[in-house]
């Protein structure tokens, strides 16, 4: 008997009664939800996941609107967040600011410690 996990992989939930595909964008409806999502992704330390999370939030809020608030072009935002890109800190910070978010730094192990605005 072989262990074939591929039989458990689903490309889609279409046709399975009572289940629908999950799209995180549908749940990014409040500033608190967005902040919690971004914080969770940041804690992973995965920069590709961070770019994907920012794209999800931009999709939820409207790319053109946030790009304008961030002082960037829509095309520039897409270019900065494509998989092969390595966006500058200023670009990420501008996007987060456009989303109404700020980056704070706390000491490791002290999630309630003093924060420094970035």
């Amino acid at each position: 008997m072989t262990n074939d996990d591929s039989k458990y992989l689903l490309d889609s939930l279409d046709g399975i009664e009572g289940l629908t595909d999950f799209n995180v964008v549908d749940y990014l409806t409040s500033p608190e939800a967005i902040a919690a999502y971004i914080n969770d992704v940041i804690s992973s330390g995965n920069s590709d996941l961070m770019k994907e999370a920012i794209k999800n939030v931009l999709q939820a809020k409207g790319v053109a609107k946030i790009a304008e608030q961030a002082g960037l072009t829509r095309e520039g935002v897409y270019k900065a967040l494509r998989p092969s890109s390595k966006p500058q800190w200023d670009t990420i910070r501008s996007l987060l600011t456009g989303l109404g978010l700020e980056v704070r730094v706390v000491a490791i192990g002290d999630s309630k410690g003093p924060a420094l605005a970035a």
Side-chain angles (χ1 to χ4, degrees):
M1 184 168 152
T2 63
N3 185 3
D4 183 12
D5 290 334
S6 65
K7 65 183 175 186
Y8 299 110
L9 300 177
L10 295 175
D11 291 332
S12 172
L13 298 177
D14 293 341
I16 299 176
E17 189 174 327
L19 295 179
T20 58
D21 288 332
F22 175 82
N23 186 348
V24 71
V25 172
D26 297 335
Y27 298 90
L28 299 173
T29 57
S30 71
E32 295 81 14
I34 291 169
Y37 175 56
I38 295 292
N39 279 325
D40 205 38
V41 171
I42 286 173
S43 70
S44 77
N46 184 322
S47 61
D48 290 332
L49 192 56
M50 179 64 185
K51 289 187 293 187
E52 189 65 30
I54 291 173
K55 281 197 287 189
N56 289 335
V57 175
L58 289 170
Q59 184 181 355
K61 302 288 279 180
V63 177
K65 176 180 149 186
I66 301 304
E68 183 179 339
Q69 291 173 342
L72 303 167
T73 65
R74 187 171 182 255
E75 295 77 19
V77 169
Y78 283 119
K79 183 178 176 183
L81 297 176
R82 69 179 176 226
S84 63
S85 72
K86 295 187 186 281
Q88 296 287 320
W89 166 247
D90 288 342
T91 302
I92 295 297
R93 186 171 174 260
S94 293
L95 285 171
L96 293 174
T97 300
L99 290 166
L101 303 172
E102 67 181 356
V103 176
R104 295 179 178 254
V105 177
V106 297
I108 294 174
D110 184 13
S111 63
K112 301 292 185 204
L116 303 174

